[in-house]
Amino acid sequence: MSKTAAPTTAELAILRVLWSRGPSTVRQIHNIMREERDIGYSTTLKMVQIMAEKGLLLKDGSVRPQVFTPAHAEARTQLQLIDELIQRAFGGSASKLVLRAAAAKRITPEELAEIKKLIEQENKR
Amino acid sequence: MTLYSGMSMELAYRFGWALLNSLWEGVAVAVVIGIVLAAVPRRAARARYIVLVVGMLALLVAFATTRIAGCEQLPGQSADFGKSAWVARGNEVIPSLDHFGDSHENRAPSDGAIGFNRQPPIDGVRSNNWIESLYPTVAVIWFCGIALLAVWRVAGWLAVQRMRVLRTESAPSPILLIAHRLAERLRLTHSFEVFISHFVETPMVIGLLRPVILIPASALSGLAPAQLEAILAHELAHIWRHDYVVNLLQILVETVMFYHPAVWWISSRIRLEREQACDDIAIELCADRRAYASALVAIEELRAIGSLALAARGTSGRQMLARIQRILGTTATTGQRERQWGLSGIVAAFIVASVCVALIHSQTTRADSGTAATGPFIIRNDAPKLSPFTAVRWNGEMPEVQFSGSWYRPVSINDMSADRIIAYLRGSNDFAPERHFAEDIVEVMRDMGNQPGNTVKLELEMLDNHQLVTIPDAPMTEENRRAAHKFDHPADARPALPGNGSSAQPFSLRNDALRLSPFTAVRWAGDASQVQVNGTWYDLISINDVPAEKILDYLKQSNDFAPQKHFAEDLVEVMRDMGLQPGQTVKLDLKTLDTAQVVTIPDAPMTEENRRSALRSADSAPTSQPAAADDIFRFDVPFQQGATKFLDGDQITVTSVKGTSPDMQGGIFCIKGRYKLTSQDKATLAACVCASDAKDGVGPWNDAQTMTVQKGTGTFTLLLPVSIKGWPHVSFYGETNDFGGSYIGTGDWVLRKWWGSKD
C-alpha cells in the first residue's frame, strides 16, 4: 500500500479534478478550480508542485506544458482517508492494544527539555 | 422501572452485590500491592511486574467469585431480595408491599404452636434497604458501560489492524538483519515482521499471533544505527515476553471493572513496569545505557517535529523521565516524589476502604441474619412465594407433584434431593412440613442454604413407568404457587365477601386485604387491648365507633386461633369481614392510662409502617403471650377475688386466669393482670400458693412465676403451677419480704381475710 500521506482538503479538490478529467495541465486544472472558488493561478501551480513532490501526483515531463496524473486511483485514496479517520477516531482505544517503546501520549517540550538536560549531565560525568 | 424489565431482577441483584463488593476488594488488593511494591526495589522491574499482574488477576478472581458466591449464598442476598424495595413479579418489577400473596397465618387452629419459636422477622434489620435498592441501578449502569467500552475496544482493534497496512512498507534489509540478529540473541522462536510506517509516530508492536514491529519512517533517518538497534531490541523484548497476551488480559479486566480506580492504577503501573522490563532487556542486549536513553529521547523529539498537535501534560512525561532516570541509574528527586504520591495514595485508599467495608459490613451482617442454613426450619414468610409445581399431593410420606399438568414423584430440585428437603422439615419439628414443602419451597430451600432463583432444575420420576425426566429450567412462578395453595385449600376459593355488616361470617384469615394499622403497637391486659398511637399508650375504646371488645368477640366467636394477633396485625381484614372495612384513616376513641381521659382522634392514618411496627413489637415484646397459650390453657377460670393488702399507691389487679383445668385446685394457670408500683423503685412480682398445710412447705418455684417490675404501671403474665393445697396469690416481693398482694382462687381455696386482719 501507499506510503504517502493522505491528501489535505485542498489537495483533494485538485485530485478530484484529475480523477474526473484525466491527465491535465496546471492551466486546465486551474480553470476548473476557478469555477468553484476564487484562487490565483500561482497558488494552484504551487499546490500541484508540492503534491508532485509528496508523491500524490505524477508528472509527465516529456510534453510541454507538463501533464499531471494522480498517483493513486480514487478508490484507493478514499480507503486511505477512511483508514486515517479510523485511526484518528479510535486511536485512543487502539493505543492500549499496541506495545510501544515511547509513551502513548506525546510529552511536552518542557518535559523533553528536562529529560535532555538529565542525559547531558550524565554524559558530562 | 421498565428499564429493569428486560434483565432478570435476581441477576441484577447478584451483579449489584458483586460490584459493590468489588469496590473494597479492589482497594484491599491495591493496598497489598502498594505495600509489596514498596518492598521490591525499582530496578527489579520484572518482579514488580509479576506482583502487579498477580494482583490484577486476584482482582478479577475476587470479582468473579463474589458473583458466584453470591449465587450460592443467596440466602444472604436474598434476604435482601425478598424484603427489599423491589420485588420482581413476573416480568415487571413493582415496589414491594408486604400485602400481596397469601401467607402464613392461613393455617388451621392446631397450627398455633408456631407462635412459640417465632423469630424476629427480617423486618428488624431494614436499615440498609437503600443500598439494596441501588443494586439493580448499579448493575444496569455497569452493563451499559461494558457494552459501550466493548464497542470502543472493537473499534480500536480494527484501527490497529489497519495500522499494519496503513502507509507501511517492508523494512530495508539492513534493519531486518539487525532485528533477526537480536532475535537470535534473545532466543526468540516466535516469527515476526518488521515494517516501516509513515503513519505511526513511535516504534510499536502490534498483533498477537503474527506480531509486527512498526518503525516510524522518521526514526529510520533520525536515529543512529546503535539507537535504532536498541529500540528494535525493546520491541523484540515485548514479543519475547508475550506481553501482548498479558495486555489483552489487562484490557479485559479494564473493560469489566472499568469503574474501579484500583484497576486504573494497577493497569497503568503494569504498563510502566512492562516498559521498564523491556528497557532492561534492551540495555542487556545493546550494552549501552546512554545510547538507549538518548534513543528514547530522540523518538520523542522526532515526534514533536512530526506534528503540530499540542501535547497534553499528563503522566507520560513524568513516566518517561522516571524511566530515563532508571536507565541511567540516577535516583533523583522524582523518585521521592513518586514515593510521596504512593504514600498519600495508600492513605486515601485506606479511607475509601474503611468506608466501603463499613457499608459492606452492614450488608454482610444482614446476609448472615438471613442465612439459617443449619438451624431448624421456622417459617418466616420472608422469601419470594414461588413454586415450580402447580399442586402437591401426598402418597403416605412421599410427595407427588404436578408439573405441566402431569403428576410426578419429585427426585430433586436444583440437585437437592426431595427426600432431604422433607427430612429437613420433619427434623425441624415443623408443624406443617407438607404445607411448607408445597407452598414455601423458596424459603425452605433458602434456609437449607440453596435458594432457588427464577428457574430451577427439576428431576422428576414418572409415576407409571418410573422414567426419570430432567427439566433444566422449570420456571418458579407465583401463579404455580397460588395454584398449589388452592389445591391444598379448596375452601379458600370462596367468593369475596360483600361489604355489608349483616352478612358477617366466621373469621378465617385469608391475607387478601391491605395490611394497615392505626397503631404502632398493641398489648393486652387480658382481653382489654392497649394500643400505642404516636408513641403513647392508651386503652382502646373503639375504632370507627366499633367497640374494641366487639371486634375481639367476633374473632373469638369465629374460633380464630390467634384473635389478639389478628386484631393487632390484620385489622383491615378483620373489620372488612365484619362488614366494617376501614379506609385510609379511622376514628379512634382512646383512654389515657393514667388520667383515664377520653381522647378522640377523628382521622388516625392507617399505614403499612404502623402495621409493620406493630408486628415487630409483638415479636419482641417479652410479655406477649405465645399464641399457643390459648391451646394449653383451654379453660377460662372463673376466679374469685380474695383478700388484698397493699402499701399506699400500690395495686395488683388480676384480670384473667386461664388454666389447664377450670378450677384453681390443681394444674397450671396463666394469670394476667395489671400492677401499679409506687412505694418502691422495683419489686419482684410473683404468683404462688401459700400452703394451708405446714408439711407442704412452700410450693414449687420457677422463673415463669416471677417477673421483675419497675416503679410505675404495667401488665403482667405469670404462670402458676398449683400442686399443693393452699391459697394462690400474686404479690410484690422486696429484698427480704413481701409487701402486698392479692389473693385469688376458686372454691374454698380463696383466702378471704388478710392474715391477722379482722374483716
Side-chain angles (χ1 to χ4, degrees):
Chain A
M1 189 156 215
S2 161
K3 59 173 184 172
T4 47
T8 64
T9 317
E11 288 168 347
L12 212 52
I14 290 173
L15 280 172
R16 268 199 295 269
V17 172
L18 289 173
W19 282 325
S20 59
R21 275 198 92 240
S24 312
T25 63
V26 176
R27 172 59 67 186
Q28 286 167 327
I29 295 169
H30 178 68
N31 288 342
I32 292 171
M33 292 282 286
R34 211 173 46 182
E35 289 167 15
E36 285 174 26
R37 54 181 169 165
D38 194 18
I39 187 171
Y41 176 78
S42 59
T43 313
T44 309
L45 179 64
K46 186 85 185 157
M47 276 175 62
V48 167
Q49 281 169 346
I50 289 171
M51 285 170 74
E53 270 171 45
K54 282 170 98 175
L56 286 168
L57 299 181
L58 301 174
K59 65 179 169 190
D60 184 357
S62 60
V63 290
R64 288 285 155 181
Q66 286 179 334
V67 173
F68 291 88
T69 47
H72 305 293
E74 187 173 10
R76 192 176 193 179
T77 307
Q78 276 168 353
L79 207 63
Q80 191 183 354
L81 281 169
I82 290 168
D83 259 341
E84 301 219 352
L85 201 70
I86 290 173
Q87 298 299 340
R88 214 160 294 155
F90 302 113
S93 174
S95 79
K96 287 204 165 172
L97 282 154
V98 302
L99 303 166
R100 59 174 101 216
K105 281 182 193 149
R106 217 169 278 122
I107 64 179
T108 63
E110 301 88 65
E111 285 165 337
L112 192 59
E114 200 181 339
I115 294 171
K116 280 178 84 174
K117 210 170 81 187
L118 189 76
I119 293 178
E120 274 165 32
Q121 280 170 359
E122 192 62 22
N123 285 340
K124 276 179 202 156
R125 261 198 244 166
Chain B
M1 268 176 237
T2 47
L3 185 63
Y4 305 131
S5 60
M7 196 199 296
S8 153
M9 246 303 120
E10 207 174 314
L11 210 62
Y13 271 91
R14 284 175 182 172
F15 278 110
W17 164 260
L19 287 168
L20 287 177
N21 267 299
S22 75
L23 289 180
W24 71 265
E25 286 167 357
V27 172
V29 169
V31 167
V32 171
I33 288 177
I35 290 165
V36 174
L37 284 190
V40 180
R42 271 189 75 205
R43 61 175 188 284
R46 279 178 74 177
R48 291 168 74 91
Y49 176 76
I50 288 167
V51 168
L52 285 159
V53 171
V54 167
M56 177 160 261
L57 281 174
L59 255 185
L60 188 64
V61 168
F63 179 71
T65 50
T66 307
R67 207 190 75 73
I68 292 161
C71 302
E72 283 164 357
Q73 196 208 32
L74 267 176
Q77 180 216 34
S78 281
D80 317 336
F81 182 61
K83 279 286 171 183
S84 66
W86 306 101
V87 167
R89 191 189 211 181
N91 213 16
E92 57 175 336
V93 177
I94 54 156
S96 143
L97 298 175
D98 276 344
H99 62 253
F100 77 83
D102 40 10
S103 88
H104 57 302
E105 285 108 337
N106 210 348
R107 64 181 87 93
S110 63
D111 292 346
I114 189 189
F116 268 126
N117 284 331
R118 189 130 184 231
Q119 291 187 350
I122 304 273
D123 287 42
V125 274
R126 261 176 176 270
S127 54
N128 283 315
N129 263 358
W130 69 270
I131 294 184
E132 290 152 37
S133 65
L134 284 181
Y135 285 4
T137 319
V138 165
V140 166
I141 292 170
W142 178 66
F143 279 126
C144 293
I146 288 193
L148 286 175
L149 265 178
V151 170
W152 177 241
R153 300 268 189 252
V154 167
W157 180 79
L158 284 174
V160 169
Q161 293 311 300
R162 295 306 301 168
M163 234 183 244
R164 278 169 188 268
V165 287
L166 179 62
R167 287 161 61 192
T168 55
E169 57 186 332
S170 48
S173 47
I175 302 271
L176 287 176
L177 198 67
I178 295 172
H180 282 105
R181 217 163 35 206
L182 285 168
E184 245 169 66
R185 285 171 62 195
L186 265 175
R187 297 206 179 80
L188 178 67
T189 50
H190 211 296
S191 69
F192 63 92
E193 287 176 279
V194 184
F195 288 145
I196 304 297
S197 171
H198 296 263
F199 178 75
V200 302
E201 293 178 345
T202 61
M204 60 178 71
V205 181
I206 59 179
L208 175 64
L209 300 172
R210 248 179 349 116
V212 173
I213 299 174
L214 292 182
I215 303 289
S218 57
L220 217 53
S221 50
L223 293 184
Q227 288 176 327
L228 197 58
E229 187 183 5
I231 294 297
L232 269 173
H234 177 107
E235 302 305 333
L236 285 166
H238 277 309
I239 300 173
W240 181 74
R241 284 164 39 92
H242 301 291
D243 282 340
Y244 218 86
V245 181
V246 179
N247 191 48
L248 283 180
L249 175 87
Q250 204 180 332
I251 285 168
L252 174 76
V253 179
E254 281 177 328
T255 307
V256 174
M257 302 180 72
F258 64 87
Y259 54 89
H260 209 306
V263 172
W264 308 341
W265 178 73
I266 294 172
S267 215
S268 82
R269 298 296 311 200
I270 287 179
R271 294 209 156 85
L272 176 65
E273 297 299 345
R274 174 156 56 216
E275 295 310 324
Q276 295 190 344
C278 290
D279 286 347
D280 289 348
I281 294 172
I283 290 163
E284 209 177 302
L285 285 178
C286 303
D288 188 350
R289 287 175 179 275
R290 286 177 198 175
Y292 183 63
S294 64
L296 287 181
V297 175
I299 286 168
E300 288 298 338
E301 277 182 303
L302 289 169
R303 223 174 162 186
I305 295 163
S307 170
L308 294 171
L310 282 174
R313 178 179 273 279
T315 49
S316 39
R318 190 181 303 274
Q319 284 200 353
M320 182 54 84
L321 185 61
R323 267 173 75 188
I324 301 279
Q325 281 172 342
R326 190 176 160 278
I327 290 164
L328 297 175
T330 58
T331 45
T333 48
T334 36
Q336 278 170 351
R337 213 183 301 158
E338 203 180 30
R339 199 159 301 160
Q340 277 168 1
W341 262 96
L343 202 68
S344 52
I346 287 173
V347 170
F350 265 121
I351 294 165
V352 173
S354 46
V355 171
C356 290
V357 165
L359 280 178
I360 301 296
H361 179 72
S362 50
Q363 280 292 307
T364 339
T365 39
R366 265 183 73 67
D368 291 345
S369 74
T371 316
T374 50
F377 180 72
I378 295 157
I379 184 107
R380 286 186 283 169
N381 290 296
D382 53 357
K385 301 242 167 183
L386 311 172
S387 173
F389 312 122
T390 50
V392 177
R393 68 185 181 197
W394 295 80
N395 184 356
E397 298 267 284
M398 297 312 299
E400 291 174 355
V401 298
Q402 194 180 47
F403 182 83
S404 292
S406 312
W407 287 95
Y408 301 89
R409 195 182 77 72
V411 176
S412 73
I413 302 171
N414 273 358
D415 294 322
M416 182 178 269
S417 87
D419 293 346
R420 207 181 128 198
I421 298 171
I422 293 157
Y424 167 68
L425 285 170
R426 295 199 203 280
S428 305
N429 283 324
D430 187 33
F431 64 92
E434 295 85 4
R435 221 194 103 128
H436 292 148
F437 180 83
E439 296 173 24
D440 301 284
I441 192 72
V442 177
E443 186 173 342
V444 173
M445 290 183 71
R446 180 203 63 194
D447 282 11
M448 293 181 78
N450 187 0
Q451 172 151 355
N454 287 329
T455 63
V456 288
K457 180 187 164 198
L458 289 181
E459 283 182 302
L460 305 171
E461 190 185 286
M462 286 184 180
L463 293 182
D464 42 1
N465 57 9
H466 302 288
Q467 206 180 323
L468 206 63
V469 183
T470 303
I471 294 117
D473 50 357
M476 300 280 287
T477 68
E478 278 189 47
E479 288 67 38
N480 288 349
R481 191 261 170 195
R482 266 201 285 273
H485 175 80
K486 224 164 249 172
F487 180 80
D488 212 22
H489 301 77
D492 280 355
R494 68 198 156 129
L497 285 165
N500 73 69
S502 57
S503 71
Q505 58 183 67
F507 180 72
S508 155
L509 190 72
R510 286 186 291 166
N511 289 301
D512 54 357
L514 292 176
R515 299 210 164 170
L516 310 173
S517 172
F519 318 120
T520 50
V522 178
R523 64 186 183 192
W524 298 86
D527 281 350
S529 52
Q530 293 187 341
V531 297
Q532 197 179 42
V533 179
N534 294 330
T536 314
W537 285 96
Y538 300 94
D539 282 320
L540 177 64
I541 302 172
S542 68
I543 304 170
N544 277 353
D545 296 324
V546 182
E549 302 85 56
K550 195 179 158 192
I551 298 171
L552 194 64
D553 283 349
Y554 164 68
L555 287 169
K556 287 189 162 178
Q557 280 159 17
S558 307
N559 281 323
D560 187 33
F561 65 93
Q564 297 183 341
K565 183 173 162 60
H566 294 150
F567 184 96
E569 296 168 22
D570 303 284
L571 191 62
V572 178
E573 186 172 344
V574 174
M575 290 185 71
R576 181 204 59 194
D577 282 11
M578 290 176 77
L580 303 161
Q581 172 144 12
Q584 295 296 318
T585 62
V586 289
K587 179 185 166 208
L588 291 180
D589 287 309
L590 308 164
K591 198 161 72 184
T592 56
L593 293 187
D594 43 359
T595 57
Q597 204 180 334
V598 174
V599 179
T600 299
I601 302 171
D603 51 357
M606 301 279 286
T607 69
E608 274 189 53
E609 287 69 38
N610 287 349
R611 190 260 170 194
R612 269 199 288 269
S613 151
L615 180 72
R616 260 204 302 271
S617 75
D619 282 333
S620 60
T623 55
S624 74
Q625 192 54 33
D630 287 8
D631 293 334
I632 299 166
F633 304 117
R634 289 190 298 286
F635 298 96
D636 275 324
V637 180
F639 69 96
Q640 292 163 10
Q641 182 65 54
T644 58
K645 186 179 181 183
F646 293 103
L647 296 178
D648 276 353
D650 292 353
Q651 184 68 42
I652 294 173
T653 312
V654 175
T655 52
S656 80
V657 177
K658 292 186 171 196
T660 54
S661 81
D663 53 48
M664 284 184 80
Q665 297 175 1
I668 303 171
F669 299 88
C670 176
I671 303 173
K672 294 186 178 191
R674 261 173 269 177
Y675 67 86
K676 189 166 150 202
L677 177 64
T678 54
S679 64
Q680 314 277 323
D681 282 339
K682 74 176 199 181
T684 301
L685 193 63
C688 31
V689 179
C690 179
S692 58
D693 195 340
K695 74 172 164 50
D696 288 336
V698 284
W701 194 260
N702 63 52
D703 285 349
Q705 278 176 261
T706 66
M707 66 186 276
T708 305
V709 296
Q710 308 289 330
K711 192 175 206 162
T713 60
T715 60
F716 63 83
T717 301
L718 298 169
L719 295 186
L720 174 62
V722 178
S723 58
I724 55 168
K725 180 163 169 47
W727 301 284
H729 62 98
V730 179
S731 300
F732 286 123
Y733 287 82
E735 296 274 306
T736 52
N737 230 327
D738 67 301
F739 59 90
S742 169
Y743 281 80
I744 51 167
T746 55
D748 60 350
W749 286 40
V750 187
L751 187 76
R752 302 288 170 184
K753 281 192 248 174
W754 197 263
W755 308 100
S757 76
K758 287 179 183 134
D759 21 65

